[in-house]
């Protein structure tokens, strides 16, 4: 008896926890399928009839911009950000982890310190710079910084990972006459793949979920991301459009959920490494 | 496991220890070949200069000016700062709300994350399923969608007030109640304990089972094992999570924005620091004032981080430093 309790107690607890944790998501899914009048009046999670028209309404999008277009915009930004971060952060990380140069200590300390820098300190001047360059209301302010390794978190993550790699392979490549660029490209980078995948996944999810930067830099509805569109959808709709609003919410997070199911193994590993290596 | 230490990795392995074979000669050869490092660093250096250092200097300058983005900045000295600290009750309200949020949300989130990690560690079968499922809320992060769901769940007639009503606690709608809205944001953050949980879990798995076995042989109970083994062995990870969550919490924006519909209401009760900064800068066009707010935020985060690092010496235990 005691043994059975011991074995099942953690599972019961975990299941209960799961129920509470996932309730809001179940609620979201259920509400996105409810008829308008049921959303506010009924407490039942399960809709009395499935209202698929919520989704067709949501797919039409906002201000005449279809959801497919909005998703495409978001995908474009996220892809640009992923490419930028993986490329620029791995380059900088290789220099910090493996190459010797003057001021390396100072530069590395500065890089780590920027981890603490609130985005808001640089926000206004960055806005002025992009404004002067005529880039406001374009995707450049959202993508360009990623190609300049501005997200210190990822540089740090990749440095930590590279420091854990055995040096022997790189040493022997050097003895065989490989320069630092060859070594980086054909030896170090392939070995760093787990950290690069983590960087890519996080960049994708964070860019997708981002709201603040997109809100500040994008104005034209046809350039909107799905998050921005969702917000203006909320502003425009009354409570009677609750169903379509939550249908659109589901659509907006669907790509992330899919992404997670495909990559969750790497994601969880990568994050675990973040806090432990060093 | 000294995670957040700012050691220069390139220099770290050459400073101490005996001289290497080849000695100074080899070092001279290296010194001639510094240029590849700078090529690798070009994007980062460009970004650090153009998007970090210059903007920092500019925003420091702007914080002493009156600036609306369209006319030239007008120097006003310390006026933004004095106005903020002495004449702006909304500023202090935002400071209070943010501090309350940080003080409640961060410990609650970390305790829950640690509890979940310890639960999952003992699960054996099904662990990876639970791990992913527990992480799911964090995946949606501070997304607009989640905030909308939250607003509906805590609103008058939503699930949470109704459930509380069923057990005899009449709370009314949390979203419309200035005393309760901040806790809607707190619960939203706490719900997303996935990231620290995964880091805790990895940390727990690194603690050698031998330690627990030895302790059990010595007659230590579960609580004793937790206090004497788990806590000290995990303290570097606790520290890492604490610093990270703290820095993030000071900057919370999207949930407050979404739950209040961008207004920070009702009665400024969700006017978090960064939301007020945004309102001052981008809605009211007081960019100088917003810049000054940003600098005080930077200083606050700097001070808190410094204090954490200083105090950490007394409670963070690094196994590899034992006997040093």
């Amino acid at each position: 008896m005691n043994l059975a309790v011991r074995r099942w107690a953690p599972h019961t607890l975990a299941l209960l926890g799961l129920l509470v944790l996932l309730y809001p998501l179940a609620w979201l899914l259920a509400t996105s399928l409810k008829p308008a009048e049921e959303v506010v009046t009924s407490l039942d999670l399960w809709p009395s009839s499935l209202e698929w028209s919520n989704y067709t309404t949501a797919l039409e999008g906002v201000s005449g911009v279809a959801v497919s277009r909005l998703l495409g915009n978001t995908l474009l930004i996220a892809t640009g950000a992923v490419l930028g971060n993986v490329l620029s952060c791995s380059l900088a990380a290789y220099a910090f982890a493996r190459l010797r140069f003057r001021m390396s200590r100072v530069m590395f300390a500065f890089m780590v310190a920027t981890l603490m820098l609130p985005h808001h300190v640089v926000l206004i001047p960055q806005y002025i710079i992009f404004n002067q360059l005529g880039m406001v209301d374009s995707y450049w302010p959202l993508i360009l910084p990623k190609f300049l390794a501005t997200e210190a978190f990822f540089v740090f993550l990749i440095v930590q990972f590279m420091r854990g790699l055995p040096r022997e392979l790189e040493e022997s490549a050097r003895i065989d006459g490989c320069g630092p660029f060859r070594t980086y490209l054909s030896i170090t980078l392939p070995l760093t793949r787990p950290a690069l995948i983590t960087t890519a996944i996080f960049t994708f999810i964070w860019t997708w979920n981002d709201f603040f930067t997109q809100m500040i830099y994008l104005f034209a509805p046809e350039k909107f991301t799905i998050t921005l569109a969702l917000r203006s959808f909320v502003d425009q709709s009354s409570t009677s459009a609750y169903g379509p609003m939550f249908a659109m919410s589901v659509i907006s997070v669907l790509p992330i959920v899919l992404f997670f199911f495909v990559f969750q193994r790497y994601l969880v590993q990568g994050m675990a490494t973040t806090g432990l290596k060093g | 496991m000294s995670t957040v230490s700012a050691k220069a990795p390139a220099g770290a392995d050459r400073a101490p220890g005996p001289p290497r074979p080849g000695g100074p000669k080899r070092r001279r050869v290296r010194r001639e070949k510094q240029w590849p490092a700078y090529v690798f660093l070009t994007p980062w250096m460009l970004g650090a200069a153009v998007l970090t250092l210059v903007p920092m200097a500019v925003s420091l300058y702007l914080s002493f000016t009156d600036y609306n983005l369209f006319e030239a900045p007008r120097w006003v000295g310390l006026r933004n700062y004095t106005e903020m600290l002495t004449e702006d009750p909304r500023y202090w309200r935002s400071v209070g709300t943010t501090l309350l949020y940080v003080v409640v949300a961060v410990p609650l989130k970390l305790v829950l994350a640690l509890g979940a990690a310890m639960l999952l560690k003992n699960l054996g079968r099904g662990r990876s399923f639970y791990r992913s499922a527990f992480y799911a809320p964090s995946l949606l992060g501070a997304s607009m969608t989640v905030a909308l769901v939250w607003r509906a769940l805590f609103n008058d007639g939503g699930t949470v007030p109704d459930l509380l009503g069923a057990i005899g606690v009449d709370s009314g709608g949390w979203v419309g109640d200035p005393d309760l809205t901040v806790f809607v944001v707190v619960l939203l953050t706490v719900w997303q304990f996935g990231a620290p949980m995964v880091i805790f879990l990895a940390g727990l798995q690194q603690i050698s089972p031998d330690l627990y076995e030895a302790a059990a042989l010595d007659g230590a109970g579960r609580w004793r094992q937790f206090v004497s083994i788990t806590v000290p062995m995990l303290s570097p990870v606790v520290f890492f999570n604490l610093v990270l969550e703290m820095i993030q919490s000071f900057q919370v924006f999207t949930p407050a924005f979404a739950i209040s519909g961008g207004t920070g209401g009702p009665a400024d009760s969700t006017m978090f620091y960064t939301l007020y900064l945004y309102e001052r800068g981008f809605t009211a066009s007081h960019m100088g004032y917003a810049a000054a707010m940003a600098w005080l935020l930077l200083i606050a985060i700097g001070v808190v981080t410094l204090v954490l690092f200083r105090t950490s010496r007394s409670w963070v235990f690094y196994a590899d430093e034992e006997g040093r």
Side-chain angles (χ1 to χ4, degrees):
Chain A
M1 177 61 198
N2 207 353
L3 206 72
V5 169
R6 261 205 177 163
R7 183 176 300 166
W8 288 108
H11 278 277
T12 317
L13 205 59
L15 274 175
L16 274 176
L18 210 58
L19 215 62
V20 176
L21 278 180
L22 295 188
Y23 178 83
L25 302 180
W27 185 92
L28 168 65
L29 211 58
T31 308
S32 74
L33 286 167
K34 276 184 182 175
E37 66 278 5
E38 240 174 84
V39 173
V40 266
T41 55
S42 157
L43 278 176
D44 285 342
L45 196 58
W46 196 250
S48 65
S49 65
L50 297 179
E51 197 70 47
W52 292 105
S53 67
N54 287 341
Y55 278 85
T56 44
T57 311
L59 281 174
E60 285 164 20
V62 186
S63 326
V65 186
V67 157
S68 53
R69 171 80 188 265
L70 297 165
L71 287 174
N73 291 345
T74 321
L75 192 66
L76 181 73
I77 296 170
T79 311
V82 167
L83 283 178
N85 262 350
V86 168
L87 189 75
S88 65
C89 295
S90 71
L91 279 171
Y94 183 75
F96 282 127
R98 285 295 196 253
L99 301 177
R100 291 168 180 209
F101 51 98
R102 273 164 55 141
M103 310 269 283
S104 66
R105 272 163 188 271
V106 177
M107 287 195 197
F108 189 73
F110 175 76
M111 193 273 293
V112 172
T114 56
L115 277 173
M116 276 187 301
L117 185 73
H119 183 54
H120 307 84
V121 172
V122 288
L123 177 75
I124 294 161
Q126 278 186 6
Y127 185 86
I128 298 169
I129 291 171
F130 284 119
N131 196 19
Q132 300 270 316
L133 292 171
M135 286 178 175
V136 166
D137 202 22
S138 82
Y139 297 151
W140 290 115
L142 303 175
I143 298 176
L144 205 58
K146 315 282 176 179
F147 278 87
L148 300 178
T150 42
E151 290 199 55
F153 178 75
F154 296 118
V155 181
F156 184 67
L157 178 99
I158 302 172
V159 167
Q160 294 290 79
F161 193 88
M162 283 181 176
R163 285 169 73 183
L165 295 174
R167 280 170 178 269
E168 286 78 16
L169 272 174
E170 290 165 55
E171 295 287 341
S172 62
R174 196 167 301 148
I175 291 164
D176 287 346
C178 275
F181 299 100
R182 250 319 263 295
T183 314
Y184 159 78
L185 211 60
S186 43
I187 311 277
T188 315
L189 218 47
L191 290 173
T192 314
R193 212 170 59 180
L196 300 181
I197 293 176
T198 308
T199 302
I201 297 170
F202 273 121
T203 306
F204 186 89
I205 293 175
W206 289 352
T207 311
W208 198 279
N209 280 339
D210 174 41
F211 171 68
F212 191 64
T213 334
Q214 298 170 1
M215 175 176 67
I216 284 173
Y217 284 113
L218 299 179
F219 301 110
E222 70 270 11
K223 288 178 191 156
F224 269 16
T225 58
I226 188 80
T227 311
L228 287 181
L230 182 61
R231 193 231 161 170
S232 43
F233 196 81
V234 175
D235 288 350
Q236 283 169 21
S237 324
S238 58
T239 32
S240 60
Y242 246 35
M245 181 174 104
F246 284 109
M248 192 150 169
S249 303
V250 172
I251 296 171
S252 78
V253 296
L254 214 55
I256 303 181
V257 175
L258 288 176
F259 208 76
F260 178 69
F261 277 116
V262 177
F263 291 111
Q264 56 104 350
R265 199 163 44 98
Y266 299 103
L267 182 99
V268 165
Q269 270 171 10
M271 193 157 39
T273 341
T274 320
L276 294 170
K277 273 273 171 71
Chain B
M1 299 225 290
S2 55
T3 327
V4 217
S5 68
K7 274 184 217 157
D13 49 348
R14 89 182 142 174
R20 295 185 169 203
K25 212 181 222 172
R26 191 169 147 183
R27 196 173 287 170
R28 200 170 303 140
V29 174
R30 295 245 190 232
R31 199 168 285 163
E32 283 163 20
K33 276 201 166 184
Q34 280 192 16
W35 66 267
Y38 294 114
V39 175
F40 278 96
L41 282 171
T42 303
W44 176 80
M45 287 194 297
L46 212 64
V50 177
L51 293 173
T52 307
L53 280 176
V54 170
M56 278 177 81
V58 172
S59 90
L60 186 60
Y61 163 71
L62 285 180
S63 76
F64 299 111
T65 67
D66 199 0
Y67 180 50
N68 62 9
L69 208 61
F70 305 108
E71 296 155 45
R74 202 164 46 85
W75 184 266
V76 294
L78 284 171
R79 209 187 68 197
N80 287 327
Y81 290 96
T82 51
E83 188 184 331
M84 196 179 303
L85 298 175
T86 58
E87 298 160 36
D88 187 353
R90 296 183 82 197
Y91 175 80
W92 284 109
R93 174 99 206 229
S94 78
V95 170
T97 308
T98 309
L99 283 180
L100 174 69
Y101 164 81
V102 171
V103 168
V104 177
V106 172
L108 211 59
K109 185 175 184 177
L110 290 186
V111 166
L112 215 64
L114 180 57
M118 295 195 48
L119 180 67
L120 294 199
K121 191 199 163 208
N122 292 325
L123 272 183
R125 200 184 300 168
R127 181 163 63 193
S128 63
F129 161 74
Y130 283 116
R131 195 179 56 182
S132 299
F134 276 34
Y135 187 78
S138 318
L139 186 66
L140 307 179
S143 70
M144 208 54 180
T145 300
V146 168
L148 287 176
V149 172
W150 233 248
R151 194 160 74 176
L153 286 181
F154 285 88
N155 219 341
D156 208 8
T159 310
V160 177
D162 276 349
L163 277 179
L164 286 174
I167 58 168
V169 185
D170 186 23
S171 67
W174 292 34
V175 177
D177 185 340
D179 292 331
L180 292 176
T181 33
V182 64
F183 295 104
V184 180
V185 184
V186 166
L187 286 172
L188 174 60
T189 313
V190 171
W191 180 58
Q192 295 166 342
F193 61 79
M197 175 195 73
V198 171
I199 295 172
F200 275 137
L201 191 59
L204 286 172
Q205 281 163 351
Q206 286 207 337
I207 303 176
S208 157
D210 298 349
L211 286 175
Y212 290 105
E213 269 171 40
L217 279 179
D218 289 345
R222 287 208 159 190
W223 176 248
R224 187 69 221 217
Q225 289 181 21
F226 176 75
V227 171
S228 305
I229 300 174
T230 312
V231 171
M233 292 302 282
L234 211 58
S235 58
V237 185
V238 173
F239 179 64
F240 177 81
N241 275 334
L242 185 64
V243 172
L244 219 63
E245 294 295 332
M246 198 76 100
I247 292 174
Q248 276 170 15
S249 298
F250 270 110
Q251 303 174 56
V252 62
F253 179 83
T254 309
F257 186 95
I259 283 171
S260 67
T263 62
D268 281 348
S269 60
T270 53
M271 191 58 103
F272 282 77
Y273 198 94
T274 53
L275 191 52
Y276 189 47
L277 191 157
Y278 168 79
E279 196 261 346
R280 287 287 88 194
F282 285 85
T283 313
S285 288
H286 291 306
M287 288 288 184
Y289 199 83
M293 280 188 74
W295 270 90
L296 288 191
L297 178 65
L298 173 64
I299 291 169
I301 291 179
V303 167
V304 170
T305 314
L306 199 71
V307 168
L308 283 179
F309 267 89
R310 279 281 151 82
T311 60
S312 76
R313 285 176 200 161
S314 63
W315 63 270
V316 175
F317 168 79
Y318 292 104
D320 52 347
E321 278 180 5
E322 215 177 2
R324 235 181 232 180

